[in-house]
Amino acid sequence: MRYDLAIIGGGLAGTATAYYAARAGARVILLERRDVNLGASGSNAGSIHAQIPFDPFRHLGADWARHYSEVLPLFIESIGLWAGLEDELGGDLGFVAKGGLMVAGSEHEMEMLREKSAIEQAQGLQIDLWDADDLAERAPFLTAGFPGGAFCPIEGKADPFRIAPLFLKRARAAGAALRRNAPVTAIAREPGGFAVTAGGETVHVARVVNAAGAHAAEVAQLVGVHVPIEAHAIQVCVTEKRPPLLPWLLYFTSEKLTLKQAIEGGFLIGGGWPARMRGGPVVDHRSVLRNLALAQRLVPGLGEVQIVRSWAAMVNGTPDWRPVLGEVPQVPGFFLNLFPWMGFTAGPAVSRAIAALALGQAPEVDLAPFSL
Ligand SMILES: Cc1cc2nc3c(=O)[nH]c(=O)nc-3n(C[C@H](O)[C@H](O)[C@H](O)COP(=O)(O)OP(=O)(O)OC[C@H]3O[C@@H](n4cnc5c(N)ncnc54)[C@H](O)[C@@H]3O)c2cc1C
């Protein structure tokens, strides 16, 4: 059988693209080298982000932030889509969007948050600047004395175990085929499309979407294309369950931190701290300690809480944090769905747009600024 679309990679990007393309009537085959959701999409911290991350803003500056801020409309669109996905896909995704608060660790960092918020607001993102009195009144669970913060009402969290499997289920119901244990090892151009070899079998397709996450550079290389995707080992930890304390996603400008409380009660502590490589990614206990100390500095109520699990995984990164999206100009019919660092948030909207592009339709969001 000849397919309209082969999608390489069974993470959120691949399963969501398969769903939107199959729903639109395309004959789709999803090729996954291991099993679905075993990569970053099923191992991430589950934060739904919209604010420009502070750590690169500090290191790369305001010009970088202005260039990067072109992704904010994608986050806004995607969070809007996330909000309707439980109904559309018919399943619980653990999606909650009550807001995210970036707490300033010093007056200087508060000033930087003001500068950053102006860049974010220029892209249509709502950011409310809070002063020390606002923090004392609205966030009494924080250590007293921080000068303020930036609150974004659309941020939140969702469950990384649920979204890609549910997209896959609905994609298959719409007719998409799946090959597990099928690493793509060759892609050859042929009249009318491509011959894609995966797990020893060759399938013939009109178009290809590379959604291979941290391994996307190797897959792109199969058609002679260089993409600036890097693989980084990072980690997250989760504590024992406690009664509700944190209503929002929290960040801290002093050092890398994301902190939130899962619906079940555990605190998820992350922010992109480095893990170690020992054949694959493994937890670095020095990162656990520093990450935990930071969380405790922000929220003293975490002082007595035990960590029960930590894990490491490979995240797809790019040096400038921008995604690489759309059709590759020198290889017509070959598409990239590569959203780095925060691809859990952006996955739904970006994948819907990539599916539209790959089927020759107009996408709902403009991906042109992110083409190769
Ligand atoms: C620890 C951690 C925490 C994170 N926290 C957050 C967060 O809180 N919020 C957020 O928005 N983002 C977060 N991210 C980032 C986010 O998880 C990723 O950007 C996103 O999941 C990428 O999705 P993907 O589908 O592109 O890649 P993946 O989920 O990695 O899927 C890629 C798939 O491609 C398959 N593959 C690779 N090569 C081949 C091949 N040759 N043939 C066939 N299949 C292949 C892989 O096996 C894999 O299943 C985090 C990431 C990590 C690792």
Side-chain angles (χ1 to χ4, degrees):
M1 175 173 172
R2 189 179 164 80
Y3 294 92
D4 299 315
L5 199 59
I7 299 165
I8 303 170
L12 173 54
T15 55
T17 308
Y19 165 74
Y20 289 112
R23 195 189 63 169
R27 285 164 302 171
V28 173
I29 184 163
L30 180 63
L31 304 167
E32 164 53 49
R33 73 182 170 132
R34 297 186 296 171
D35 204 346
V36 168
N37 214 29
L38 295 183
S41 299
S43 325
N44 66 58
S47 302
I48 298 294
H49 300 287
Q51 302 190 52
I52 297 173
F54 195 81
D55 195 53
F57 178 64
R58 185 205 302 280
H59 292 108
L60 301 173
D63 284 344
W64 166 81
R66 271 184 281 277
H67 189 46
Y68 176 76
S69 72
E70 290 178 355
V71 305
L72 299 191
L74 299 184
F75 285 142
I76 294 168
E77 177 78 13
S78 205
I79 293 170
L81 199 51
W82 263 104
L85 279 177
E86 293 188 340
D87 283 345
E88 179 177 341
L89 300 178
D92 180 4
L93 300 173
F95 176 78
V96 179
K98 292 186 178 165
L101 176 66
M102 194 172 287
V103 180
S106 67
E107 286 292 351
H108 174 63
E109 286 164 356
M110 188 63 215
E111 193 47 47
M112 291 175 74
L113 279 188
R114 285 191 195 96
E115 185 183 14
K116 188 165 82 73
S117 68
I119 297 169
E120 294 163 333
Q121 286 159 347
Q123 292 286 358
L125 183 65
Q126 184 181 342
I127 298 286
D128 304 324
L129 291 172
W130 291 5
D131 63 16
D133 290 342
D134 292 324
L135 291 186
E137 188 187 322
R138 301 181 204 186
F141 46 82
L142 293 177
T143 300
F146 293 120
F151 184 78
C152 175
I154 65 171
E155 294 189 313
K157 62 191 173 193
D159 186 341
F161 291 142
R162 300 186 190 190
I163 179 80
L166 192 54
F167 266 128
L168 176 67
K169 191 172 175 186
R170 298 298 172 234
R172 296 192 80 178
L178 168 69
R179 298 280 185 281
R180 297 185 166 95
N181 303 311
V184 171
T185 49
I187 305 173
R189 285 195 248 188
E190 64 181 15
F194 300 85
V196 181
T197 304
E201 187 194 349
T202 297
V203 292
H204 299 275
V205 302
R207 292 174 173 199
V208 174
V209 174
N210 177 355
H215 296 273
E218 295 149 41
V219 170
Q221 206 55 58
L222 296 175
V223 288
V225 169
H226 170 75
V227 292
I229 292 289
E230 305 163 339
H232 296 271
I234 59 170
Q235 60 185 56
V236 185
C237 54
V238 63
T239 72
E240 61 187 322
K241 295 174 188 172
R242 285 294 166 95
L245 174 69
L246 304 182
W248 315 304
L249 170 62
L250 295 177
Y251 312 87
F252 196 17
T253 59
S254 298
E255 268 191 280
K256 289 188 292 190
L257 176 71
T258 60
L259 173 62
K260 60 194 170 296
Q261 191 167 15
I263 292 168
E264 295 77 14
F267 297 97
L268 278 142
I269 305 172
W273 282 78
R276 291 193 291 174
M277 288 302 283
R278 291 283 182 277
V282 295
V283 169
D284 184 333
H285 294 285
R286 293 166 301 184
S287 286
V288 174
L289 291 176
R290 290 182 63 187
N291 206 177
L292 178 62
L294 207 54
Q296 290 172 336
R297 213 176 115 204
L298 190 66
V299 178
L302 295 184
E304 301 299 317
V305 182
Q306 300 290 319
I307 288 178
V308 293
R309 193 165 78 88
S310 48
W311 66 94
M314 303 308 293
V315 66
N316 49 329
T318 54
D320 65 359
W321 286 66
R322 284 168 63 96
V324 191
L325 301 168
E327 189 169 18
V328 176
Q330 68 268 38
V331 190
F334 190 80
F335 294 79
L336 302 169
N337 183 353
L338 310 176
F339 202 101
W341 304 111
M342 291 178 280
F344 184 65
T345 305
V350 163
S351 301
R352 187 178 60 174
I354 293 289
L357 275 180
L359 300 184
Q361 300 161 0
E364 293 81 355
V365 286
D366 183 15
L367 302 184
F370 310 108
S371 70
L372 199 59

